[in-house]
Amino acid sequence: MRLRLEPAGPANAADLWRVHADDEVWPWYGNEKPSLERMQRWAKSIGDSWRLHGVHKWIAYDRVSGEVVGRGGLSRTPVDEDWGQIYTFLPAEPWVRVAHESRRPFIAHANWLEIGWALRREWWGRGYASEIGRAGLAFAFDVLEAQAVVSCTVRHNVRSRAVMERIGMRYAGEIRSRGMVDGVEAEQDDAPYAVCVLLRSDWDRSAARSLQDRPWERVADPAGGRCDVSA
């Protein structure tokens, strides 16, 4: 694979800002370009989730040039009414509502995760989002032993929806949440989000790269100490 994936944390705040301050990226996530200070706070939160929940987003670097390509991967979803809309698209089984053992930094679902990606504009169209997505699915199912992975994007983000389908996720329906609406400048409280789902039982391992060639690395824990994300 062409990417090196590092668990994001405070040390990656500037690179996280480079991704989300890209003029083709930030309009999908809010009303204004994020500040470096905002990204520093988010990077700390991501590092906390790696330490306490065992997973969150990666920063993706080109293996040859070392340039930051984007961010992506998995995160645990809060147990709240907003994410509770996803229950409709998951099996009617007890594991769906089970909470993760750690109550910090927030109460999260234990057995299913969200996957996503964001790339700097200059790296679009080269298949990097799909690489991050496939690595995330392998990490979710073979390392974290998740039962399901979901992905959500505003309805009109056709590029992201295409990546979801390309990596084997299946369209399940729509939910409503705060976000951007096609043709409207400001965020809305009831933006339509397309939801794709992949269950562990439906994951096609033959479509994923062997875990013997893992793009993630043993690196310093973003919150301090060591974090072997390939274990």
Side-chain angles (χ1 to χ4, degrees):
M1 297 181 75
R2 300 169 292 175
L3 298 175
R4 175 174 57 84
L5 305 177
E6 288 187 11
N12 308 100
D15 288 337
L16 193 63
W17 178 79
R18 289 186 68 192
V19 175
H20 280 268
D22 188 295
D23 287 337
E24 296 291 335
V25 174
W26 72 260
W28 291 103
Y29 294 94
N31 300 324
E32 60 183 12
K33 183 181 293 189
S35 66
L36 177 58
E37 291 74 20
R38 177 180 164 190
M39 289 295 100
Q40 288 172 332
R41 292 192 296 271
W42 191 36
K44 181 183 182 303
S45 175
I46 292 174
D48 290 342
S49 287
W50 269 110
R51 178 169 54 88
L52 297 166
H53 283 161
V55 70
H56 210 290
K57 295 298 190 287
W58 293 307
I59 292 286
Y61 297 97
D62 180 76
R63 283 190 180 273
V64 176
S65 69
E67 279 288 307
V68 58
V69 174
R71 67 101 183 116
L74 306 158
S75 57
R76 297 198 185 276
T77 58
V79 178
D80 59 21
E81 291 184 3
D82 204 27
W83 283 100
Q85 297 177 79
I86 301 293
Y87 295 159
T88 301
F89 309 124
L90 296 174
E93 298 179 10
W95 60 261
V96 171
R97 297 171 185 255
V98 173
H100 190 268
E101 60 184 7
S102 175
R103 315 307 258 189
R104 299 172 49 230
F106 57 86
I107 299 176
H109 292 100
N111 297 305
W112 56 277
L113 304 110
E114 180 266 345
I115 192 169
W117 38 79
L119 272 60
R120 295 169 58 204
R121 177 64 181 88
E122 64 187 272
W123 299 95
W124 289 11
R126 308 187 200 181
Y128 286 105
S130 295
E131 284 193 18
I132 294 172
R134 292 187 183 103
L137 293 178
F139 194 69
F141 293 126
D142 281 357
V143 179
L144 299 176
E145 299 183 342
Q147 295 299 316
V149 174
V150 306
S151 191
C152 307
T153 190
V154 286
R155 179 195 291 163
H156 62 292
N157 191 347
V158 294
R159 296 181 67 92
S160 190
R161 293 180 63 173
V163 174
M164 295 176 193
E165 296 177 4
R166 198 172 297 127
I167 65 175
M169 304 193 75
R170 301 174 181 177
Y171 175 76
E174 289 190 356
I175 61 173
R176 297 275 172 161
S177 188
R178 186 166 181 79
M180 306 306 295
V181 176
D182 191 18
V184 181
E185 291 187 3
E187 279 188 308
Q188 303 296 307
D189 289 332
D190 62 344
Y193 279 77
V195 178
C196 286
V197 176
L198 185 61
L199 300 179
R200 181 184 182 86
S201 58
D202 294 330
W203 185 49
D204 182 4
R205 287 169 176 78
S206 65
R209 291 187 63 89
S210 169
L211 284 181
Q212 294 177 355
D213 184 20
R214 302 181 180 192
W216 46 85
E217 306 284 334
R218 180 178 176 88
V219 299
D221 184 330
R226 302 295 298 180
C227 176
D228 187 350
V229 298
S230 65

